[in-house]
Amino acid sequence: MQLGMIGLGRMGANLVRRLVRHGHDCVVFDQNPETVAGLVGQNVVGAANLADLVGKLGQPRHAWVMLPAGEITEATVAELGRLLAPGDTIIDGGNAFFQDDVRRAREMKAKGIHYLDCGTSGGVWGLERGYCLMIGGDKEAVERLDPIFAALSPGEGTIARTPRRETRDPRVERGYLHCGPSGSGHFVKMVHNGIEYGLMQAYAEGFEILRKVSSEAVPEERRYDLDLADIAEVWRRGSVVSSWLLDLTSAALAEDPALAKYSGFVEDSGEGRWTINAAIEEAVPADVLSAALYARFRSRDREGTANKLLSAMRHAFGGHVEPKT
């Protein structure tokens, strides 16, 4: 199957590489011509601009936008809406605000163009591990693009099957889900990222407590000089708090126990705020998720093991680099 990919950053380029591995063809565009040139090769054709990309796609055309949420995505989708024809499909795989998807889908529907929002989780590890995909939009377009989603997803892998799922959609067990109508995919991904904030904050605070127990402020009889890297590693082995985030934490601490290369300045990319806003609108108490978001705000004024560990985890799973302060 052929797909156009717009945006070849940390994830966009790897999405292309994974698709090519599974036998798909890609036409790619990025504002940086060198990035495009670096991907061009077997089954990958470069484009000089959006019009060129659309012209190199066979009908019905499928164009995946992998850009930061905001004005650049808005402008790109609008331009694609002018260039594409009825029956074509736009997929936004970034972390867009779900209400923007609802509006864009309505605007594209008036032109006869399908619009899908696809929450994409997997970070810089997705090329090898695959991507968990949460898709919103009309069923016809989702079904047509199933070979693309199947190639990008992790597959069943070695995870044990959940009992009594025999009558449910088998694609979910392979790592991708049609969540519902327009906006639902990014809504699910938004809450996913809000939960991620909470999980990361829980690990970070726990390890801060483990670190501080060695302080002279603690009475000597219960002062412990604990090895955080070893604790993270032993928790990976059969503990109920084991997870991929803990795997990344263990690796970060083994490499640099003092986390010296991290300042503790923890950015937020928007989804946590949107999740809290949704919780307020729905009158759902979200104490942990709210506290985790506020902790990121607070990190910009102070350092500490917890904040450094948050930075380390963000860098490990998503390649996020701390802003220069």
Side-chain angles (χ1 to χ4, degrees):
M1 196 170 188
Q2 188 187 44
L3 181 77
M5 181 66 68
I6 300 147
L8 304 174
R10 287 191 303 262
M11 291 182 68
N14 279 347
L15 289 169
V16 171
R17 294 184 180 103
R18 188 168 175 88
L19 287 171
V20 169
R21 285 185 182 180
H22 286 78
H24 298 285
D25 299 317
C26 292
V27 181
V28 301
F29 170 67
D30 191 273
Q31 292 291 345
N32 185 345
E34 293 182 3
T35 304
V36 175
L39 272 179
V40 169
Q42 185 177 7
N43 291 16
V44 180
V45 176
N49 50 50
L50 289 181
D52 188 29
L53 179 139
V54 169
K56 290 177 176 176
L57 292 173
Q59 293 182 307
R61 305 176 187 91
H62 312 107
W64 186 301
V65 180
M66 203 66 187
L67 297 168
E71 293 182 4
I72 186 170
T73 293
E74 193 72 42
T76 301
V77 171
E79 180 66 12
L80 286 172
R82 290 188 285 269
L83 293 169
L84 295 174
D88 294 343
T89 303
I90 299 170
I91 309 103
D92 182 2
N95 284 325
F97 184 43
F98 73 98
Q99 292 184 10
D100 290 337
D101 293 310
V102 174
R103 171 179 49 78
R104 290 178 195 145
R106 184 172 58 247
E107 293 168 353
M108 293 302 128
K109 185 176 181 179
K111 300 172 182 281
I113 299 170
H114 301 283
Y115 178 92
L116 302 180
D117 50 286
C118 182
T120 308
S121 180
V124 296
W125 298 81
L127 175 59
E128 303 300 332
R129 291 171 58 103
Y131 299 88
C132 176
L133 305 174
M134 297 144 269
I135 310 156
D138 65 273
K139 184 177 180 180
E140 177 189 345
V142 174
E143 295 291 342
R144 186 191 313 139
L145 282 156
D146 188 77
I148 295 293
F149 299 133
L152 292 174
S153 68
E156 291 183 9
T158 59
I159 298 175
R161 297 193 69 182
T162 301
R164 294 179 291 279
R165 283 200 56 90
E166 292 78 11
T167 61
R168 292 179 173 270
D169 186 347
R171 294 174 297 184
V172 175
E173 293 179 294
R174 298 196 288 270
Y176 63 110
L177 168 67
H178 181 204
C179 299
S182 297
S184 63
H186 276 151
F187 185 85
V188 172
K189 178 58 162 52
M190 174 189 78
V191 177
H192 164 284
N193 284 20
I195 293 171
E196 177 189 294
Y197 281 31
L199 292 171
M200 292 172 67
Q201 187 65 30
Y203 283 126
E205 292 177 6
F207 279 94
E208 180 84 42
I209 295 167
L210 293 169
R211 173 82 75 188
K212 288 292 181 68
V213 78
S214 64
S215 167
E216 292 185 0
V218 176
E220 187 174 357
E221 66 271 15
R222 56 183 184 86
R223 189 185 306 160
Y224 310 120
D225 185 14
L226 302 174
D227 189 315
L228 270 59
D230 282 355
I231 291 170
E233 185 63 26
V234 78
W235 283 354
R236 294 181 60 221
R237 313 290 173 168
S239 164
V240 296
V241 299
S242 60
S243 72
W244 185 31
L245 285 172
L246 186 60
D247 295 346
L248 299 174
T249 297
S250 180
L253 289 168
E255 178 186 6
D256 178 13
L259 304 173
K261 67 180 179 180
Y262 300 101
S263 70
F265 185 107
V266 186
E267 191 60 86
D268 73 284
S269 52
E271 299 91 338
R273 303 185 192 208
W274 299 339
T275 302
I276 302 309
N277 288 339
I280 292 170
E281 290 178 0
E282 299 164 18
V284 175
D287 307 63
V288 172
L289 307 191
S290 299
L293 176 63
Y294 297 152
R296 293 196 176 198
F297 296 162
R298 188 167 55 249
S299 77
R300 296 157 204 179
D301 295 322
R302 70 178 184 91
E303 296 184 7
T305 296
N307 295 324
K308 289 182 178 181
L309 197 55
L310 286 173
S311 287
M313 283 188 275
R314 292 185 84 241
H315 177 73
F317 73 74
H320 302 285
V321 178
E322 292 179 343
K324 294 180 180 179
T325 57

